[in-house]
Amino acid sequence: LLRGGARGLMQEAKERRDTLPARIARMSAIVAADPASHRIIWHDLEDERRAIEKALPDVRSVYGAQDPNEQEKRIIGFANGEFVNLAGKPVMLGSGVNFQRFCHKAIFVGVSHKFNDFIQAIHRIARFLQRHEVEIDIIHAESEREVVRDLQAKWAEHDRLVATMSDIIRQYG
């Protein structure tokens, strides 16, 4: 997915719309290579959700306009291993749920600058009692390389802060 770099939120949003078919095709190829694995498919835009649903007819999505009881049913069903593909936004499902019992794979069908949502989404499956190596696929266009660099820098800073906090706790209890 090679394109010129996007600058600014408007251009980033346009790039996400323009590269959606290629990102969905890549997601479909990843799923087709291992269709039996349980995975979370993360997205940020409703257009992405609709494209995911079209490409993967068996996916179950959780979204804001959905009946809360249906949301809960789908979240619990996925957590219990009742179906293999769950699509959702990190802002909705990225905190407070545990999917590690049946799931160790996730696909981000795009990237954003929201590091907290990103790391929390990963920690839905990369957590205590996870029995498998976690696999995370992050699909992005070359034009989004600055967003990826931003996430990498934020992750490095996160690691540095965690190490500093661990040193403080070791030193002072």
Side-chain angles (χ1 to χ4, degrees):
L1 299 174
L2 300 173
R3 295 169 60 92
R7 292 184 181 90
L9 293 176
M10 297 280 288
Q11 286 179 311
E12 285 180 8
K14 182 180 182 326
E15 282 298 305
R16 293 211 46 187
R17 285 189 305 275
D18 291 349
T19 62
L20 182 57
R23 290 183 289 114
I24 293 297
R26 182 67 186 124
M27 174 211 67
S28 296
I30 292 167
V31 172
D34 185 11
S37 284
H38 295 237
R39 67 178 44 80
I40 304 170
I41 302 170
W42 298 109
H43 62 86
D44 289 308
L45 307 173
E46 286 301 297
D47 286 344
E48 291 170 335
R49 175 181 62 83
R50 287 186 285 274
I52 291 164
E53 291 171 343
K54 186 175 179 183
L56 301 175
D58 69 331
V59 73
R60 308 246 178 103
S61 297
V62 175
Y63 51 94
Q66 194 172 44
D67 176 71
N69 292 324
E70 184 62 25
Q71 291 174 351
E72 182 178 8
K73 179 181 170 186
R74 290 178 183 201
I75 292 167
I76 292 170
F78 184 74
N80 289 332
E82 294 172 12
F83 54 93
V84 297
N85 291 314
L86 177 70
K89 294 180 180 182
V91 72
M92 278 191 72
L93 300 177
S95 296
V97 293
N98 300 324
F99 293 133
Q100 76 275 16
R101 201 166 104 212
F102 290 95
C103 180
H104 67 278
K105 296 184 180 192
I107 300 172
F108 286 83
V109 179
V111 291
S112 77
H113 294 278
K114 299 174 187 174
F115 176 72
N116 187 61
D117 289 347
F118 178 71
I119 194 169
Q120 285 297 319
I122 290 172
H123 287 151
R124 296 314 89 217
I125 60 175
R127 56 188 305 113
F128 182 69
L129 296 178
Q130 176 56 263
R131 298 180 317 234
H132 303 282
E133 184 173 325
V134 172
E135 295 178 32
I136 307 292
D137 289 290
I138 304 167
I139 303 169
H140 63 90
E142 182 62 28
S143 58
E144 296 173 300
R145 65 186 171 274
E146 291 303 320
V147 180
V148 173
R149 285 185 191 131
D150 182 45
L151 285 175
Q152 290 169 331
K154 289 175 181 177
W155 198 301
E157 179 67 5
H158 168 77
D159 288 346
R160 187 188 67 74
L161 291 172
V162 167
T164 299
M165 183 58 71
S166 294
D167 290 344
I168 291 169
I169 292 170
R170 272 193 293 281
Q171 184 176 356
Y172 298 105

